[in-house]
């Protein structure tokens, strides 16, 4: 049977008893936010529904596809399985923050150049994952890239282009 | 001035939008004041809803509405049937009665202020049922095959029965025979983007930002369901995060989003969960097929029998071209095909990339391989001996057919000559190596379409059509067609699609977008160019033009793409793992508009084919019809590590008959032929003939 947790119940503007909330400070793509969040909210839902950053995608909400990959304190994570309330003070980077002064990040241009995308839905997650993959030193060879990029499913099957793009960009970043 | 823009390997014009997160898919169109809807899905496979404790969750925070058959408005559900709907049967009428027809059918929709509130309440809603036992095994003892209604006439597009000569007698008299049954598992499309609709009413006008491969049909269907004039509904979908057929039809969640938005009087966003993507949005039907081949000792086919059944739902007869290719792929005087459906208690299947052809060709091409072994012939040689001069099923010449040239080109790139024919004869260290080959084919369709082109005062042009781009690169290839026809550089052409208020395009599927939409754009651009050539100096010059296939050409010719697929696999004999090391496809698809994108589309189709061959299957619980692996981690699909070297090549092929652009389409054929080539390679590697997909480790371990 469903039981709503009664921890620190507060009131919403509509006056009904609410789920617990938490104050969370996040720096997202260099912009500071102070948010009162429902503690059940994933970082993904906060980005997409509260902050309007819809570049990060929800492919499964089950931690199994990688479409929601972002950098949390510099490390790649699946934001759908990351509770926002647990990351007060964190730094978040999303696909919207990669382009600097109108210049695409080398990975972004490499994905276009090597056609590492088709529908583009997995692409933000692929690119953020690739930023992490390169930073971790896991982009040394195509085999390495295949292995360390396998958490990001591409149903369009753009894998050969993705591997080529990551290998190419790894030389430039 | 001719500017050769068609044929250039341009990068995607929408590439920048896609790599920056700026491309907006349905669920990205958040509206001010939007509420969130979550569907509650039936947990029984057949029966009736007997009760629902809505009151308990209506008290939960933020809940705006709980809609079920008990309180949902009775919708008009006016007559509406498009060519992408099954010809026989009627769509599911959602929340209109208490009956449960299949596991996962929507029984309620919960609307709340935030997504977390809606999800929580939907999970807490208690529904009671009177459950019956569904029949979900289309090959089980309770399965009752039927003759599809729309296939009864001999001149039907997909005839249930078709024959030339006397295939059964010829089979009995053939000195060499293969007679086997092939079983392909149910698959789900599983595009990365879940189905999503944001619905917003303004009085009696409805706007839907909705994932759709067919926005004008979604508009017409929703108008019919709600009893609205057509022009009151607008459907917007500039980007599709993959679909592979699942967004051809308008499924119940679109109606639910609109219903919910009307009820709570604010915009509503409804996104299906990944699990729900296995319930109500179609699937590749499981098929069971018998192929019987008879041949002379020197490898001339004397008989082909193809009997296939596909599953469908109880309320609609979904049909696909399961047996069609068999009627023309090879020369044979005696051919008999039979197509039946087995209604089961699940949602209605739907076209999934390469639809019936992919399944039918799997069976035929595995059987051809088996026959080649019986005859001790090279499998390509067997096909060469049976290459027809015309389409013997239709008794018409082909508009173009390059199958043997595809085999030549593919064999050269693949290095087929290095293959030794004996099973288990090729090794790499302790690994067993197998090489397999198969033919591919898909019709070159063409549907009427209308486009609008506009030449502006600043020398740029705008082109509009209600087409879609689910990933093949419609934005780019159509920009190329428009730029070349108008004599403008591509940077000066702005191409827009995905709005139902643009001139109508056919559904984005069946590999006919390039042909149909491209020809319409070409026609509109020619009309603009001719106006401008009259010396008109005023701007804008606008023209709307339509195109369709020359009916005489359609009458005279049989029009299909052909291809040859080569695969090399390695099997670990100790643990039975199968790895596709290389795949080479060679295709005759008419003119290639953009080789870079065409290659991507082909290799993407190969990845889909690898999934079909080795991984994908939706398993239904026999007790209640529940898909037990409705999860992205349990429904196996290729990941990056599964994909090694993939190559696509195109033979030069000029086909003046298919359409003015000479294009045949590519998206579907790219998947056809991969699975049989892999199955044939598995036999070559292991000596084990596996006739059921997906081929699993245990199939090979018992070799
Ligand atoms: S949406 Fe987070 S992993 Fe799929
Ligand atoms: S580009 Fe479509 S899922 Fe990767």
């Amino acid at each position: 049977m469903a039981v709503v947790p009664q921890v620190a119940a507060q009131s919403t503007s509509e006056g009904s008893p609410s789920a617990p909330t938490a104050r969370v400070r996040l720096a997202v793509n260099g912009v500071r936010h102070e948010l009162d969040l429902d503690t059940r909210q994933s970082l993904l839902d906060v980005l997409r529904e509260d902050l309007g950053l819809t570049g990060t995608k929800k492919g499964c909400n089950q931690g199994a596809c990688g479409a929601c990959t972002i950098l949390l304190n510099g490390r790649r994570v699946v934001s759908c399985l990351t509770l926002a309330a647990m990351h007060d003070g964190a730094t978040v980077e999303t696909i919207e923050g990669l382009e600097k002064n109108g210049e695409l990040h080398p990975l972004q241009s490499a994905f276009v150049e090597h056609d590492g995308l088709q529908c583009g839905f997995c692409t933000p997650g692929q690119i953020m994952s690739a930023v992490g993959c390169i930073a971790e030193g896991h982009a040394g060879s195509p085999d390495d890239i295949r292995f360390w990029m396998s958490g990001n499913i591409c149903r369009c099957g753009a894998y050969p282009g993705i591997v080529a793009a990551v290998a190419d960009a790894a030389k430039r970043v | 001035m001719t500017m050769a823009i068609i044929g250039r390997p341009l990068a995607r014009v929408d590439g920048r939008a896609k790599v920056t997160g700026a491309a907006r898919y349905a669920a990205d169109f958040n509206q001010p004041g939007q509420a969130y809807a979550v569907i509650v899905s039936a947990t029984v496979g057949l029966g009736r809803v007997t009760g629902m404790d809505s009151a308990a969750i209506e008290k939960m925070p933020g809940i705006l509405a709980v809609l079920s058959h008990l309180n949902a408005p009775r919708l008009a559900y006016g007559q509406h049937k498009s060519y992408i709907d099954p010809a026989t049967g009627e769509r599911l009428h959602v929340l209109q009665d208490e009956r449960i027809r299949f596991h996962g059918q929507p029984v309620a929709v919960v609307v709340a202020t935030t997504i977390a509130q809606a999800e929580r309440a939907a999970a807490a809603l208690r529904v009671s049922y009177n459950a019956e036992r569904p029949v979900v095994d289309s090959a089980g003892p309770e399965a009752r095959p039927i003759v599809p209604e729309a296939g009864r006439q001999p001149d039907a597009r997909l005839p249930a029965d078709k024959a030339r000569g006397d295939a059964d007698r010829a089979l009995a008299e053939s000195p060499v025979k293969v007679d086997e049954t092939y079983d392909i598992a149910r698959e789900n499309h599983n595009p990365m983007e879940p189905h999503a609709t944001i619905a917003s009413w303004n009085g009696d006008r409805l706007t839907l930002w909705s994932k759709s491969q067919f926005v004008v049909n979604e508009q017409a269907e929703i108008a019919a369901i709600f009893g609205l004039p057509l022009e009151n509904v607008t459907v917007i979908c500039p980007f599709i995060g993959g679909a592979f057929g699942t967004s051809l039809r308008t499924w119940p969640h679109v109606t639910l989003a609109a219903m919910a938005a009307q009820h709570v009087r604010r915009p509503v966003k409804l996104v299906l969960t990944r699990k729900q993507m296995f319930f109500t949005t179609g699937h590749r039907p499981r098929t069971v097929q018998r192929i019987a081949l008879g041949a002379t000792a020197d490898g001339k086919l004397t008989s082909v029998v193809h009997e296939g059944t596909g599953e469908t739902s109880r309320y609609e007869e979904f049909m696909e071209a399961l047996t069609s290719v068999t009627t023309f792929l090879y020369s044979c005087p005696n051919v008999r095909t039979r197509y039946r459906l087995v209604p089961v208690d699940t949602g209605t299947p739907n076209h999934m990339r390469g639809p019936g052809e992919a399944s039918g060709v799997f069976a035929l091409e595995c059987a051809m391989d088996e026959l080649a072994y019986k005859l001790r012939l090279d499998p390509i040689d067997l096909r060469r001996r049976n290459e027809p001069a015309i389409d013997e099923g239709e008794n018409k010449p082909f508009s173009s057919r390059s199958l043997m040239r595809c085999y030549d080109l593919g064999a050269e790139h693949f290095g087929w000559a290095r293959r030794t024919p004996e099973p288990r004869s090729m090794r790499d260290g302790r690994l067993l190596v197998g090489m397999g080959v198969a033919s591919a084919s898909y019709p070159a369709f063409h549907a009427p379409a209308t486009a609008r082109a506009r030449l502006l005062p600043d020398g740029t042009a705008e082109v509009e059509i209600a087409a879609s781009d689910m990933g093949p690169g419609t934005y780019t290839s159509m920009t190329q067609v428009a730029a070349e026809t108008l004599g403008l550089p591509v940077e000066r052409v702005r191409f827009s699609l995905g709005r139902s208020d643009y001139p109508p395009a056919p559904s984005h599927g069946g590999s006919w977008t390039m042909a149909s939409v491209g020809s319409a754009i070409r026609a509109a651009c020619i009309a603009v160019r001719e106006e401008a050539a009259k010396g008109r100096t005023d701007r804008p010059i606008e023209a709307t033009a339509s195109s369709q296939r020359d009916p005489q050409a359609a009458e005279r010719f049989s029009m299909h793409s052909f291809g040859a697929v080569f695969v090399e696999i390695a099997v670990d004999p100790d643990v039975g793992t199968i790895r596709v090391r290389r795949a080479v496809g060679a295709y005759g698809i008419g003119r290639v508009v953009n080789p870079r994108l065409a290659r991507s589309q082909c290799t993407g189709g190969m990845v889909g084919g690898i999934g079909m061959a080795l991984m994908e299957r939706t398993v239904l619980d026999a007790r209640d019809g529940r898909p037990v692996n409705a999860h992205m981690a349990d429904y196996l699909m290729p990941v990056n590590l599964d994909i090694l070297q993939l190559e696509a090549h195109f033979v030069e092929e000029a086909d003046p008959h298919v359409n003015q652009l000479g294009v045949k389409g590519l998206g579907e054929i790219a998947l056809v032929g991969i699975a049989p080539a892999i199955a044939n390679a598995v036999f070559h590697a292991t000596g084990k003939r596996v006739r059921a997909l997906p081929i699993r480790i245990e199939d090979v371990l018992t070799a």
Side-chain angles (χ1 to χ4, degrees):
Chain A
M1 204 187 101
V3 179
V4 183
Q6 290 301 310
V7 195
Q10 298 178 7
S11 293
T12 64
S13 49
E14 294 175 20
S16 51
S18 159
T21 62
R23 163 122 336 165
V24 180
R25 287 157 303 160
L26 294 172
V28 183
N29 300 327
V31 180
R32 289 175 188 285
H33 300 273
E34 203 162 316
L35 304 157
D36 284 317
L37 297 178
D38 185 324
T39 52
R40 298 167 300 194
Q41 276 182 284
S42 67
L43 198 43
L44 175 60
D45 282 342
V46 172
L47 290 170
R48 290 184 51 82
E49 311 302 335
D50 293 290
L51 301 180
L53 293 171
T54 54
T56 307
K57 303 303 182 203
K58 185 187 280 188
C60 68
N61 215 23
Q62 295 169 326
C65 78
C68 62
T69 306
I70 56 157
L71 299 180
L72 177 68
N73 297 325
R75 297 180 54 178
R76 49 177 170 162
V77 300
V78 284
S79 59
C80 70
L81 289 192
T82 308
L83 287 174
M86 292 173 70
H87 295 283
D88 185 30
T91 302
V92 172
E93 284 162 83
T94 72
I95 191 72
E96 289 93 344
L98 273 195
E99 190 179 352
K100 295 272 174 341
N101 309 318
E103 283 279 312
L104 291 183
H105 183 282
L107 268 165
Q108 291 175 309
S109 7
F111 265 72
V112 176
E113 186 51 36
H114 294 279
D115 212 33
L117 63 139
Q118 291 182 33
C119 75
F121 196 82
C122 74
T123 311
Q126 299 279 0
I127 292 177
M128 296 315 289
S129 192
V131 173
C133 178
I134 294 172
E136 296 154 16
H138 287 144
S141 70
D143 271 343
D144 252 10
I145 295 168
R146 282 187 198 106
F147 185 88
W148 292 97
M149 288 296 291
S150 278
N152 291 82
I153 296 177
C154 174
R155 187 58 162 158
C156 297
Y159 297 125
I162 292 169
V163 174
V166 178
D168 189 6
K171 291 185 238 138
R172 287 187 269 149
V173 294
Chain B
M1 181 178 63
T2 50
M3 301 173 62
I5 296 173
I6 296 178
R8 268 205 236 153
L10 296 185
R12 283 171 203 266
V13 299
D14 52 342
R16 191 181 185 104
K18 285 178 175 173
V19 299
T20 55
R24 290 174 87 191
Y25 303 79
D28 300 339
F29 286 91
N30 288 333
Q31 298 300 306
Q34 151 188 302
Y36 293 82
V38 172
I39 292 175
V40 179
S41 308
T43 54
V44 302
L46 191 66
R48 287 182 304 112
V49 178
T50 53
M52 192 168 303
D53 190 8
S54 318
I57 68 160
E58 275 160 4
K59 291 197 217 66
M60 289 174 72
I63 300 305
L64 303 172
V66 181
L67 292 168
S68 69
H69 71 283
L70 298 168
N71 61 341
R74 295 299 95 136
L75 300 176
Y77 273 103
Q79 185 60 34
H80 173 80
K81 217 178 255 302
S82 150
Y83 51 79
I84 42 105
D85 295 315
T88 307
E90 173 61 19
R91 63 182 39 75
L92 188 74
H93 291 194
V94 71
L95 304 189
Q96 302 297 292
D97 61 41
E98 78 290 355
R99 280 184 57 204
I100 303 299
R101 291 157 185 83
F102 58 90
H103 184 101
Q105 179 186 318
V107 293
V109 61
V110 176
V111 193
T113 310
T114 73
I115 190 169
Q117 292 163 339
E119 284 171 350
R120 186 79 177 100
L125 180 62
R126 289 164 67 191
V127 182
S128 44
Y129 302 94
N130 196 332
E132 296 160 42
R133 198 171 187 283
V135 174
V136 294
D137 182 356
S138 62
E142 294 158 297
R144 299 281 174 272
I146 58 166
V147 180
E149 195 58 45
R152 283 180 186 275
Q153 299 306 321
D155 60 346
R157 194 177 70 78
L158 299 174
D161 295 283
K162 190 169 176 173
R164 62 177 186 264
D166 187 341
D168 297 290
R169 205 171 101 198
L171 183 68
E173 293 168 358
S174 296
V176 186
K177 289 188 232 317
V178 167
D179 193 341
E180 298 293 350
T181 299
Y182 303 85
D183 192 340
I184 303 176
R186 168 192 287 231
E187 291 179 76
N188 279 90
H189 306 72
N190 271 315
M192 292 301 289
E193 180 197 17
H195 286 273
T197 302
I198 298 175
S200 178
W201 291 86
N202 183 359
D204 62 352
R205 304 186 82 86
L206 172 65
T207 303
L208 299 166
W209 290 269
S210 187
K211 177 174 187 174
S212 171
Q213 291 170 256
F214 199 2
V215 287
V216 290
N217 180 63
E218 184 139 319
Q219 172 196 28
E221 177 162 339
I222 293 300
I225 290 174
F226 283 84
L228 295 167
L230 191 61
E231 61 274 15
N232 283 26
V233 180
T234 306
V235 180
I236 301 171
C237 183
F239 288 99
I240 298 175
F244 318 108
T246 183
S247 295
L248 287 167
R249 296 192 72 189
T250 290
W251 301 107
H253 63 273
V254 183
T255 302
L256 290 178
M259 182 197 279
Q262 194 167 39
H263 188 83
V264 302
R265 299 172 177 277
R266 54 201 268 196
V268 163
K269 172 159 159 177
L270 191 161
V271 183
L272 293 194
T273 63
R274 181 54 61 179
K275 190 174 177 182
Q276 289 169 340
M277 297 283 286
F278 288 78
F279 297 157
T280 47
T281 54
H283 52 274
R284 189 193 297 284
R286 177 184 177 187
T287 52
V288 178
Q289 304 174 72
R290 172 190 173 220
I291 299 269
L293 303 176
T296 61
D298 62 352
K300 188 77 196 78
L301 285 171
T302 50
S303 173
V304 178
V305 175
H306 186 171
E307 300 173 339
T309 53
E311 58 186 0
T312 188
S313 68
R314 296 274 186 204
Y315 53 94
E316 287 174 311
E317 294 187 6
F318 170 76
M319 295 176 72
E320 59 179 3
L322 190 63
T323 57
S324 304
V325 175
T326 303
T327 65
F328 63 81
L329 191 56
Y330 300 117
S331 174
C332 181
N334 306 292
V335 177
R336 181 173 67 75
T337 62
R338 188 176 79 180
Y339 178 45
R340 296 292 182 269
L341 297 176
V342 177
V344 288
D345 297 305
T346 71
T348 307
N350 189 33
H351 298 291
M352 178 165 162
R353 197 171 188 177
E357 286 80 0
S359 304
V361 166
F362 168 74
L364 178 62
E365 289 300 282
C366 286
M368 284 294 279
D369 200 67
E370 301 198 43
L371 181 63
Y373 274 99
K374 282 208 168 162
L375 291 162
R376 302 190 152 273
L377 280 179
D378 179 271
I380 301 178
D381 190 22
L382 173 63
R383 288 166 175 97
R384 206 176 297 280
R385 289 174 194 218
N386 293 286
E387 173 70 4
I390 61 164
D391 175 339
E392 295 176 5
E394 293 290 313
N395 217 357
K396 287 178 188 176
F398 291 104
S399 63
S400 59
R401 172 172 164 128
S402 309
L403 181 60
M404 285 305 137
R405 286 203 292 137
C406 291
Y407 271 111
D408 294 341
L409 184 70
E412 189 188 317
H413 283 281
F414 184 79
W416 183 254
R418 289 201 305 276
R419 175 184 185 262
T420 55
E422 277 308 300
R424 301 181 78 93
S425 65
M426 298 184 79
R427 285 179 186 257
D428 178 1
R430 37 182 294 283
L431 301 178
L432 297 166
V433 172
M435 295 184 180
V437 76
S439 303
S441 182
Y442 194 81
F445 289 125
H446 190 160
T450 307
R452 182 159 54 226
R454 202 178 299 119
L455 198 54
L456 300 174
D458 64 1
T460 64
E462 290 174 339
V463 178
E464 294 162 351
I465 180 166
S468 313
D469 188 347
M470 61 176 154
T474 314
Y475 275 107
T476 310
S477 56
M478 298 306 163
T479 302
Q480 288 177 263
V481 170
E484 175 158 321
T485 313
L486 290 168
L488 290 174
V490 285
E491 304 75 39
R492 294 190 155 214
V493 175
R494 244 180 344 275
F495 172 65
S496 307
L497 52 66
R499 285 190 64 105
S500 60
D501 48 9
Y502 288 160
S507 59
H508 181 43
S511 295
W512 67 12
T513 295
M514 196 63 242
S516 314
V517 174
S519 298
I521 288 172
R522 182 175 175 275
C525 291
I526 287 175
V528 165
R529 203 181 62 197
E530 283 173 351
E531 244 343 87
K534 287 181 192 155
R536 249 180 82 175
T537 51
D538 64 310
R539 298 285 186 275
I541 299 178
E542 183 178 294
T544 302
S546 303
S547 84
Q548 62 175 62
R549 175 171 273 161
D550 168 10
Q552 280 187 349
E555 198 47 50
R556 271 172 54 213
F557 294 105
S558 169
M559 303 183 187
H560 303 271
S561 296
F562 294 92
V565 181
F566 297 76
V567 164
E568 176 185 318
I569 62 155
V571 178
D572 185 317
D574 297 323
V575 292
T577 47
I578 305 167
R579 206 140 191 242
V580 177
R581 291 176 155 192
R582 293 193 294 139
V584 173
Y587 304 95
I589 49 147
R591 182 145 72 143
V592 177
V593 174
N594 182 323
R596 180 193 323 225
L597 272 48
R599 279 207 189 87
S600 284
Q601 206 180 358
C602 281
T603 53
M606 290 177 185
V607 174
I610 291 170
M612 180 183 188
L614 300 175
M615 300 172 195
E616 297 185 39
R617 101 180 143 136
T618 302
V619 181
L620 302 180
D621 190 321
R623 295 166 302 178
D624 60 5
R626 179 180 61 103
V628 299
N629 58 336
H631 189 293
M632 212 98 171
D634 297 327
Y635 181 92
L636 303 185
M637 293 182 275
V639 299
N640 208 320
L641 196 56
D642 295 310
I643 301 307
L644 300 173
Q645 199 188 323
L646 306 178
E647 276 177 42
H649 303 277
F650 305 107
V651 300
E652 288 281 324
E653 187 181 77
D655 189 329
H657 309 296
V658 277
N659 47 62
Q660 295 92 336
L661 289 167
V663 300
K664 285 180 170 179
L666 187 52
E668 321 296 323
I669 195 173
L671 190 144
V672 181
I674 309 292
I678 291 173
N680 295 340
V682 167
F683 177 74
H684 182 231
T686 64
K688 176 84 191 279
R689 182 62 70 175
V690 185
R691 300 186 184 89
L693 296 184
I695 300 171
R696 292 170 294 159
I697 286 173
E698 46 270 48
D699 296 324
V700 173
L701 272 183
T702 54

